[in-house]
Amino acid sequence: MKEIELIKLTERLISIPSESFNENTIVDFIADYLSEEDHLKVEKINNIVYAVIEGRDRSKTLCLAGHVDTVPPNGNAVPRYEGDRLFGLGAVDMKGGIAIMLKLALTATNPNCNLKFIFYPREEVDNKHNGLKELYSIDKDYLNCDAAILLEPTNGYIEAGCQGVIKLRVYIA
Ligand SMILES: [Zn+2]
């Protein structure tokens, strides 16, 4: 039986070490977790797990994405509870988000629009190693969608980020 209680699933994900460049075990866990579900098409592309659910309206696609790696441990590799709060490496950034993606992928069996899930490695290191870039370089269609939500922690706020950079040169006379 697959665990779908979010806090237990997050605890399980924290207990799998996944420092950047060492994501094999967690990627296998995610691919295995999503396997054998009739409504899901799952592909493993190097260390990226890509899963799609066809929606009732196939003309629109919502993408949910999250990185599976963490920074190096610092005495926090083992998940622990304080009351009903879960602590541990990557609990917030972003194994909690990965747990939500996994639960949605398993339970959203008949969504309004297509859903695309991308679990990718190497986000917590230099941008040139980023797994999303790798996926884009393999086939940019993997990232095609009408809207994308990255489940990074924002304390519950919607943050419209990653919209480019403005560089200004200011002259004061
Ligand atoms: Zn993050």
Side-chain angles (χ1 to χ4, degrees), residues 107-121:
T107 56
T109 54
N110 186 25
N112 287 333
C113 65
N114 299 325
L115 294 178
K116 197 180 253 194
F117 298 85
I118 303 173
F119 303 85
Y120 64 97

Side-chain angles (χ1 to χ4, degrees), residues 65-134:
H67 64 86
V68 300
D69 60 320
T70 68
V71 296
N74 184 22
N76 56 354
V78 178
R80 67 183 169 79
Y81 287 89
E82 283 181 23
D84 59 358
R85 287 189 168 214
L86 175 62
F87 292 83
L89 179 59
V92 173
D93 184 13
M94 59 171 293
K95 291 186 170 175
I98 296 296
I100 290 168
M101 286 171 63
L102 287 173
K103 181 168 181 171
L104 278 174
L106 228 64
T107 56
T109 54
N110 186 25
N112 287 333
C113 65
N114 299 325
L115 294 178
K116 197 180 253 194
F117 298 85
I118 303 173
F119 303 85
Y120 64 97
R122 301 181 309 273
E123 192 271 351
E124 299 285 13
V125 287
D126 192 314
N127 193 34
K128 68 183 179 194
H129 301 296
N130 190 302
L132 275 183
K133 276 191 165 177
E134 181 189 357

Side-chain angles (χ1 to χ4, degrees), residues 16-19 21-31 44 46-47 68 121-122:
I16 303 170
S18 61
E19 193 178 330
F21 299 105
N22 290 289
E23 297 101 340
N24 292 6
T25 308
I26 199 158
V27 166
D28 286 345
F29 173 85
I30 289 168
K44 195 171 154 216
N46 299 333
N47 255 357
V68 300
R122 301 181 309 273

